[in-house]
């Protein structure tokens, strides 16, 4: 039986239980479905525990992937640094305009252009069409939370209490 089906059946049994109690002046000794109700509650508990264990397994696998990704990021960063050092070494010893190659690699130079600012550059002298303006504004939720906990109020902002499932 599925978890939601167990809850429906248990709810029906609770209603029958209440009705039986009303009809028998609160005497529940002969309620016919006590064993069945206990069995459904055990199944429900087992299913919830299984779901909790599955959640823990998923979380552990996710953490393992995260940890492995961090290891791979670090490895990539080391390789990037190593490649940059080798490139710097090549730039130092390969003469400008020199071209050499074999079946593994071809080394040569190509021309390119970049725009660079000089020390007397002033952004305000550029027409707006030549500018990119980037502004990012966001609230500092951690700071706002601290302020609200000591009594400060902000219009349109409230603290909301949540119940979080804890699985260990």
């Amino acid at each position: 039986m599925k978890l939601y089906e167990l809850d429906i059946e248990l709810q029906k049994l609770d209603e029958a239980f209440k009705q039986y109690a009303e009809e028998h002046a609160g005497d529940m000794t002969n309620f016919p479905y006590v064993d069945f109700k206990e069995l459904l509650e055990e199944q429900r508990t087992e299913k919830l525990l299984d779901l909790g264990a599955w959640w823990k397994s998923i979380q552990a696998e996710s953490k393992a992937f995260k940890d492995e990704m961090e290891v791979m990021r670090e490895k990539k960063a080391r390789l990037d640094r190593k490649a940059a050092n080798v490139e710097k070494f090549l730039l130092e010893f390969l003469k400008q305009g020199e071209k050499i190659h074999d079946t593994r690699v071809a080394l040569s130079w190509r021309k390119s252009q970049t725009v660079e600012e000089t020390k007397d550059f002033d952004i305000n002298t550029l027409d707006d069409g030549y500018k990119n303006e980037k502004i990012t504004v966001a609230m500092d939720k951690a700071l706002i939370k601290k302020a609200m906990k000591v009594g400060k109020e902000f219009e349109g902002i409230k603290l909301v209490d949540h119940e979080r499932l804890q699985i260990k």
Side-chain angles (χ1 to χ4, degrees), residues 36-113:
F36 183 61
K37 185 175 191 267
E38 288 175 3
L39 175 69
L40 291 180
E41 287 172 344
E42 287 174 12
Q43 288 179 359
R44 181 180 180 277
T45 299
E46 185 65 29
K47 286 193 181 293
L48 288 170
L49 290 173
D50 287 347
L51 281 171
W54 186 34
W55 179 87
K56 277 183 74 172
S57 174
I58 292 168
Q59 288 295 102
E61 188 175 3
S62 175
K63 184 183 181 318
F65 276 116
K66 179 183 176 195
D67 293 346
E68 186 62 26
M69 286 170 52
E70 184 59 32
V71 167
M72 297 301 279
R73 259 192 296 280
E74 290 171 2
K75 190 173 187 176
K76 181 190 180 309
R78 279 192 307 272
L79 290 171
D80 287 345
R81 284 191 303 272
K82 187 181 280 188
N85 287 337
V86 170
E87 182 180 14
K88 189 188 295 183
F89 195 76
L90 282 169
L91 289 171
E92 186 176 330
F93 289 99
L94 185 65
K95 295 176 187 159
Q96 229 172 358
E98 185 178 7
K99 295 180 182 183
I100 55 176
H101 62 86
D102 68 6
T103 57
R104 298 170 300 146
V105 67
L107 303 174
S108 63
W109 295 87
R110 67 175 172 83
K111 293 186 187 278
S112 66
Q113 288 184 326

Side-chain angles (χ1 to χ4, degrees), residues 5-6 16 18 22 26 33 38 41-42 47 68 71 84 99 109 124 126 128 139-140 143-144 148 156 160 168:
E5 293 171 336
L6 287 170
K18 289 175 187 173
E22 288 175 8
Y33 301 110
E38 288 175 3
E41 287 172 344
E42 287 174 12
K47 286 193 181 293
E68 186 62 26
V71 167
K99 295 180 182 183
W109 295 87
N124 297 319
L126 284 177
D128 288 343
M139 74 169 111
D140 185 344
L143 192 60
I144 290 172
M148 290 181 80
V160 179
K168 294 183 178 179

